[in-house]
Amino acid sequence: MFRTALRNVLAHKARLLMTVLAVMLGVAFVSGTLVFTNTISGALQNSSAKGFDHVDVAVTPEFQEAEGDKVGEQPELTQALVEDSARVPGAASAIGVVSGFTAVADKDGDLIGDGWSTKGGNYWGEKDPRYPLTDGRAPKGEGEILIDSKTAERTGYGVGDTVRMSVDGPVITPKVVGVFTTDDGGVAAGGSLTLFDTATAQKLFGKAGAYDEIDVKAKDGVTQAALKAELDKALPKGLVETTTAQELADDQAEAIASSMSGMKQGLLVFAGIALFVGTFIIANTFTMLVAQRTKELALMRAVGASRRQVTRSVLIEAFVVGVVAAVTGLLAGIGIGAGMRALMGSMGEVVPDGPLVVSSGTIVAALAVGVLVTMLAAWLPGRRAAKIPPVAAMSSVHAKATTKSLVLRNTLGALVSAAGIAVVLAATTMGGTDGQAPMGLGAVLLIIGVFILTPLLSRPLIAAAAPVLRVFGVSGKLARQNSVRNPRRTAATASALMIGLTLITGMTVMAGSLQKSIDKMASAAIEADYVVSMANGNWLSPDVGEKLGEADGVTAVSPLRNSPARIGGDTEYLTGVNGSTITELTDLKVEQGAFEVGGTKVVVDGDTAKENGWKAGSDFTVAYEDGEKQRLTVAGVYEGNDMLRGIMLDNSVLTPHLTDPVDMQVMVKMTDGASAAAKDSLQKALDTNPAIKIQDKKDISNEIAKMFTLMLNMLYGLLAMAVIVAVLGVINTLAMSVFERSQEIGMLRAIGLDRKGIKRMVRLESLVISLFGGVLGIGLGVFFGWAAGELMGSTIATYELVLPWGRMGVFLLLAAVVGVLAALWPARRAARLNMLQAIKAE
């Protein structure tokens, strides 16, 4: 039986090639994802670990929790604590660390790197061991900086050059006095690091005389644990906490792995989809191969082979195919992993240098996935073949499924589909995250149910195409009949395409609807022409609002200033605004009272009012950041949204209680509205600052929607894999269908149907099957998009369903193109059959 199985694999090389390709693509995707994420994660971890070479124990402030009327705060690490740390037994040195956001413009005036990775810090003394200088000297005073060597290389800056930069808004133009090297992971990933002398860094980052961290280096022979124990004894308890460099490295590695896990899981989901689609093709292929060898298998049963041996022979074939596909898929996956890393580089995303990581886990996963998926898909056809009695097989009595089996399948499919629809509809009534798990379960049940019902659905849906197919005469009529001749095969072939289009359509519906809701939210809440903020979402200096108020064409300005406070024993965040202009800059629906901000009068959003039992006219006591208390009155309750919510009070009331006033953003109203000239006026007022974003309502909407657009574009690219697998499935089905119908095609040729007619028949059959899968996929995608939208609508008040008719038309056209392309080779093969040999074929 083993020799027979191997012989059958070698005897059907061309037929099994499509199956190998289908499995190989899925395995390549899985292994490529693992190689790519492991490589990036390993490189980042190695890079970050090097950053701890100059520290053995880090001392950081321990956050003081809010208590009573006291707001939670972060204690300061003073110079005295640095000196105390350096005097601890076992300590060789202690360095005070200051860090913060620093935006540096390149020579074209554009921001270097992404906002989150453009950092600044302090250079300790004349020779900081953390940052070896390759050129120049240590910085002295506010007008001097150091830049990292990678930034110098990317921008062309060198010692003596003047650089435009910003820390919290205003532009400064220091001189580069040195270049240093660093193992900082952010720099290795494309960011920048700028160093000032310690006093300047403390002033710029709002930490006068204080540090963010103290890095302590141990003497030779002193362990990190021993140094930590000494520091714990010497430093004030409850105000600081100590962490060894090894713990920091482990935490950093865990954080990197955690950040990569989301990407890995997302990519593996799409790999799973490709494999799931490929499973249909494998099952289809083995079903047809087994059907073609029915008499051979029956003869083997008649001469003594058991059912188990017949099933085992089919599984051995599947094992061989799976091993070949898994090995080739693994090799292709390694190439994909390397290619994805190179693609990141070409897109400007720089990652640290490091070897390509092909772990044993990746190899095992690729082989296991390829072999198991293939064998599981082949098990049912093998088992079905083994159950056919030898006499029945030889007389082809088994050829058609019994009415009982079809009734059973349709009943099961209807029940599973109904259960899926019921669970999805129930999930739409739940709020937020509570409905996500039921929604996913319902979606899986519905897809499985529709797959089971697809043979039943194929007849009426394909029959609907009959009027169009009549235009093509005999070829069209034969194509329609052939496509419903074996409903199960048609269903399995169409389902592969259905799943891919379901996901694409569903995500497109969701993305379009979210974009519309964000547009409505921005236009409904904001009357300002521009919103000004830092590129990385950091705080703005109050100077920015003052400069904008003096710009040409500005009629109204309001900074949005944020501060924690204690109200009724709970921490609430207050938003300071310009009470005299806020009504000109916002358009928030007032639910109670009046939108009046000034003096002790404030406005609150509906959710906050409900939580605290407030209404228009209610009074409450607030304890500010500095501990001072004040009685405030709710003048009005407004309908909040994701852009504007919370307690709003006048900045003239809030600011005196803030130790370091900073703004989240500044809203600006122009005389003639938003225009290129108006934006240019604001940019000039801010010295064309690379760190600051000036956005109109459309810009804000586009920025929020950008993540959805990026995700959608990634989805289109990733699901192209599933579509490719679906194409292979259609080719496979048609090729084997042509092989099975060789006699019939020979007869058709003999009675007058020419080669063009045969080609047209096969192409139309392929087109009908593909469009059938496309219609099902788009229909399910719209339903899932609607359901997911209902779930999101519970948290986004402006959510509105948008059906992208144009894109759905493109998806249907894509399904048609799949059908046409998949039919090229089978149609050509059918047309080239020798009619006399085909008629004589068994």
Side-chain angles (χ1 to χ4, degrees), residues 6 296 303 367 466 500 506 735:
L6 290 180
E296 175 190 327
V303 297
L367 293 174

Side-chain angles (χ1 to χ4, degrees), residues 226-245:
L227 178 59
K228 181 180 186 299
E230 292 294 338
L231 286 165
D232 287 338
K233 289 179 192 176
L235 300 180
K237 291 179 174 61
L239 293 180
V240 299
E241 53 186 350
T242 57
T243 313
T244 65

Side-chain angles (χ1 to χ4, degrees), residues 746-760:
M747 288 296 296
L748 289 170
R749 291 276 287 113
I751 61 175
L753 191 63
D754 59 12
R755 288 186 173 181
K756 285 185 179 179
I758 295 293
K759 283 184 179 180
R760 191 181 302 120

Side-chain angles (χ1 to χ4, degrees), residues 286-287 289-302 305-308 310-311 380-402:
F286 277 93
T287 298
L289 286 173
V290 168
Q292 290 169 14
R293 300 198 333 254
T294 299
K295 289 187 178 180
E296 175 190 327
L297 294 174
L299 185 59
M300 291 170 65
R301 288 287 313 282
S306 65
R307 287 185 178 182
R308 187 174 296 176
V310 170
T311 303
L380 191 59
R383 183 171 175 272
R384 191 183 299 135
K387 290 176 68 175
I388 300 169
V391 175
M394 289 179 182
S395 58
S396 297
V397 174
H398 69 290
K400 292 185 179 179
T402 63

Side-chain angles (χ1 to χ4, degrees), residues 333-521:
I334 294 171
I336 288 174
M340 290 175 73
R341 179 175 176 173
L343 181 63
M344 284 186 71
S346 66
M347 293 171 65
E349 299 289 337
V350 183
V351 295
D353 295 330
L356 203 64
V357 179
V358 185
S359 66
S360 57
T362 300
I363 297 171
V364 170
L367 293 174
V369 165
V371 174
L372 288 177
V373 166
T374 309
M375 292 185 70
L376 284 173
W379 175 75
L380 191 59
R383 183 171 175 272
R384 191 183 299 135
K387 290 176 68 175
I388 300 169
V391 175
M394 289 179 182
S395 58
S396 297
V397 174
H398 69 290
K400 292 185 179 179
T402 63
T403 303
K404 180 181 177 181
S405 69
L406 290 173
V407 169
L408 181 64
R409 175 173 180 141
N410 293 338
T411 303
L412 178 63
L415 290 173
V416 175
S417 298
I421 292 172
V423 173
V424 169
L425 292 177
T428 60
T429 63
M430 301 178 184
T433 56
D434 293 339
Q436 290 179 3
M439 180 77 71
L441 174 63
V444 171
L445 286 174
L446 183 53
I447 287 176
I448 292 172
V450 171
F451 169 65
I452 297 171
L453 280 177
T454 309
L456 178 67
L457 298 173
S458 64
R459 290 187 178 277
L461 287 177
I462 291 175
V468 178
L469 292 174
R470 286 197 195 101
V471 175
F472 298 96
V474 174
S475 296
K477 182 178 180 181
L478 290 170
R480 184 182 66 80
Q481 291 174 347
N482 288 335
S483 58
V484 295
R485 175 184 291 184
N486 191 333
R488 293 190 180 193
R489 184 188 301 169
T490 298
T493 305
S495 294
L497 192 59
M498 176 191 79
I499 293 168
L501 286 178
T502 295
L503 291 164
I504 290 175
T505 305
M507 288 300 296
T508 303
V509 170
M510 287 170 59
S513 301
L514 282 170
Q515 177 70 64
K516 181 73 173 177
S517 68
I518 292 164
D519 288 343
K520 284 177 66 178
M521 188 186 299

